[in-house]
Amino acid sequence: MKEFINETLIPKVMRFVSTKPMVGFRNGMLYTMPFSIIGSIFLLLANFPIKAVSVALDNAGLTPYFNQAYGATFALMAIFGAMGIAICYVKEQGIQESLPAGMIAMASFILLMSSEMTETKSGNIIENVINKEWTGGKGMIVGIIVGLFVGATYAWFIKHDIRIKMPEGVPPNVAGSFTALIPGVAIVSITLIVYIIFDKFQTTFFDWIYKVLQTPLQGVTSSLPGVIIMGLLIPLFWFLGIHGSTIVGGIMGPLLTANSVDNKVILDSGKALTLANGGKIVTQQFLDQYMTVTGAGMTIGLVLFMVTLAKSSQYKELGKLSIVPSLFNINEPVIFAAPIVMNPIMFLPFVVAPVASGLLTYFAIYIGLVPMFGGVVVPWTTPPIISGFLVNGWQAAVLQTVCLVMTFFIYLPFAKKMDQITVKQEQENAAANN
């Protein structure tokens, strides 16, 4: 079994995640992270979890301005994603001048969107608009498709030297703009044809993708099986020595972010955030704060054992070194030094802890003990309990505390066994040295 994992499974997984489209997709989505955090800061200010502060900010007339800042950052995530993916895809192809690909991706993204909106009250049609309903989470899948398509097509043109070449002596910025002209015309023309085809059927590419692809995928991510799958896959990859958070997070992240944005839209409409109104239980906050908090596998339980109950010198020292990083959700020292990677004794708690925490959180939200998550996202390094409070108030902080305490008891019997083995090894080494 170990031979199959090391020689067959891991190489195949690594080949897949190392393909240029996957690397471009993963790295491109990282461009959205700063904007999601910036937007979340202003969203948090607009919906502050302490009522007295929230009322004071609202009375001061600041809330609309905070929402304006949110709308210029978090609400444009799909556009940032399309641009980032196109840029990173082109870079992976060895093309240094990648910014034009990102700009073409933005143009293609907007082109696929209807430029008309019907005013709710009067029924009048407003023209020449960019519909921000599609620029956030709702348009995320289209953003990914556009980014990959533009990146691949632009790179093909440049690699085949199908471009306008300027004479020597022309400034590089001028020459670069002409380099992008032919691929830009081709990509925009193809995008326009797609727009026309869907327009003839009185719909848009956005509507079609959302109904056919994104809605079902979001439904899966926000379901109980989706929680279990994420809870299993992330630690499983880490157990094999592969960065599971990057792989699974890269694929699921856009959908989970879209779930968060959908919940924010429901709140903005004045409706209650409930399942009946289309609310999503599983969001990016769900994964970050209740399934990977303190690191993949929720290893804070193991670290607490090392600090308080371990008898081996190795585990005591590792616990002291790991406790602070764990509080900031960094647990690579534990994963590789305990070790957890390829350690059959630690596999079960490493997988069970996030799954158990995810299930507990899912049912706590489902039965109404904890409200659904809105759009507030905090940096992944935010310490536990604080992060729970910021994303969803005191109920979420209490639930997070319960989940973290639970991980201690999940890891306890397995950590004791590993500690006993390590103590025996230390005694044998000491005896051999004497």
Side-chain angles (χ1 to χ4, degrees), residues 294-295 299-300 302-304 306-307 314-338:
T294 72
T299 50
I300 189 65
L302 176 59
V303 174
L304 290 175
M306 293 176 177
V307 172
Q314 177 184 328
Y315 269 23
K316 287 179 180 178
E317 288 302 314
L318 182 57
K320 293 176 184 177
L321 293 172
S322 301
I323 185 66
V324 173
S326 291
L327 292 177
F328 291 91
N329 306 310
I330 300 168
N331 70 336
E332 279 83 350
V334 180
I335 289 177
F336 292 103

Side-chain angles (χ1 to χ4, degrees), residues 201-242:
F201 289 94
Q202 298 183 335
T203 186
T204 66
F205 186 68
F206 278 87
D207 282 305
W208 186 75
I209 288 294
Y210 186 73
K211 292 175 183 176
V212 174
L213 188 59
Q214 182 160 332
T215 299
L217 286 175
Q218 283 186 241
V220 172
T221 60
S222 191
S223 67
L224 203 55
V227 172
I228 296 172
I229 291 170
M230 286 191 295
L232 291 173
L233 286 181
I234 293 175
L236 176 60
F237 279 122
W238 271 111
F239 179 78
L240 299 175
I242 303 169

Side-chain angles (χ1 to χ4, degrees), residues 104-401:
I104 295 169
M106 180 178 66
S108 299
F109 182 92
I110 295 172
L111 175 54
L112 289 170
M113 187 189 307
S114 175
S115 60
E116 296 181 347
M117 287 182 65
T118 303
E119 195 175 33
T120 305
K121 294 182 179 179
S122 64
N124 294 328
I125 295 177
I126 305 172
E127 298 180 344
N128 296 322
V129 299
I130 295 177
N131 189 347
K132 288 172 72 174
E133 179 184 6
W134 296 109
T135 59
K138 198 173 179 181
M140 191 63 73
I141 297 298
V142 174
I144 293 170
I145 294 171
V146 168
L148 291 173
F149 166 72
V150 172
T153 307
Y154 185 89
W156 184 88
F157 272 89
I158 301 302
K159 280 184 168 293
H160 286 79
D161 210 21
I162 305 174
R163 53 181 170 166
I164 296 175
K165 298 178 182 178
M166 301 299 291
E168 292 185 10
V170 175
N173 59 329
V174 176
S177 63
F178 278 93
T179 297
L181 190 58
I182 291 178
V185 169
I187 292 168
V188 170
S189 298
I190 294 170
T191 307
L192 178 59
I193 291 171
V194 173
Y195 174 80
I196 292 171
I197 291 172
F198 281 92
D199 187 59
K200 292 300 181 182
F201 289 94
Q202 298 183 335
T203 186
T204 66
F205 186 68
F206 278 87
D207 282 305
W208 186 75
I209 288 294
Y210 186 73
K211 292 175 183 176
V212 174
L213 188 59
Q214 182 160 332
T215 299
L217 286 175
Q218 283 186 241
V220 172
T221 60
S222 191
S223 67
L224 203 55
V227 172
I228 296 172
I229 291 170
M230 286 191 295
L232 291 173
L233 286 181
I234 293 175
L236 176 60
F237 279 122
W238 271 111
F239 179 78
L240 299 175
I242 303 169
H243 202 301
S245 303
T246 299
I247 295 172
V248 179
I251 296 171
M252 303 294 286
L255 296 171
L256 296 174
T257 299
N259 289 346
S260 301
V261 175
D262 283 355
N263 285 356
K264 177 65 170 59
V265 170
I266 293 170
L267 290 172
D268 289 344
S269 69
K271 298 178 182 178
L273 184 53
T274 62
L275 284 172
N277 288 332
K280 305 292 194 306
I281 292 178
V282 187
T283 62
Q284 189 64 50
Q285 302 97 314
F286 188 108
L287 177 64
D288 290 345
Q289 313 311 329
Y290 295 91
M291 297 185 72
T292 59
V293 65
T294 72
M298 299 183 67
T299 50
I300 189 65
L302 176 59
V303 174
L304 290 175
F305 168 84
M306 293 176 177
V307 172
T308 59
L309 299 176
K311 297 179 180 178
S312 68
S313 299
Q314 177 184 328
Y315 269 23
K316 287 179 180 178
E317 288 302 314
L318 182 57
K320 293 176 184 177
L321 293 172
S322 301
I323 185 66
V324 173
S326 291
L327 292 177
F328 291 91
N329 306 310
I330 300 168
N331 70 336
E332 279 83 350
V334 180
I335 289 177
F336 292 103
I340 291 176
V341 172
M342 302 302 292
N343 183 348
I345 296 176
M346 298 307 298
F347 174 73
L348 192 59
F350 191 57
V351 172
V352 169
V355 172
S357 179
L359 292 176
L360 178 61
T361 303
Y362 185 93
F363 285 111
I365 296 174
Y366 185 82
I367 64 177
L369 290 177
V370 175
M372 291 184 179
F373 300 100
V376 177
V377 179
V378 296
W380 65 272
T381 51
T382 305
I385 315 304
I386 296 173
S387 62
F389 176 76
L390 290 176
V391 299
N392 217 15
W394 69 268
Q395 300 103 314
V398 171
L399 175 61
Q400 200 177 49
T401 304

Side-chain angles (χ1 to χ4, degrees), residues 75-115:
L76 300 181
M77 292 276 286
I79 292 181
F80 297 142
M83 295 178 68
I85 291 169
I87 289 171
C88 291
Y89 194 117
V90 169
K91 283 184 177 179
E92 282 298 309
Q93 296 286 348
I95 301 167
Q96 296 303 314
E97 191 62 37
S98 56
L99 181 59
M103 298 171 72
I104 295 169
M106 180 178 66
S108 299
F109 182 92
I110 295 172
L111 175 54
L112 289 170
M113 187 189 307
S114 175
S115 60

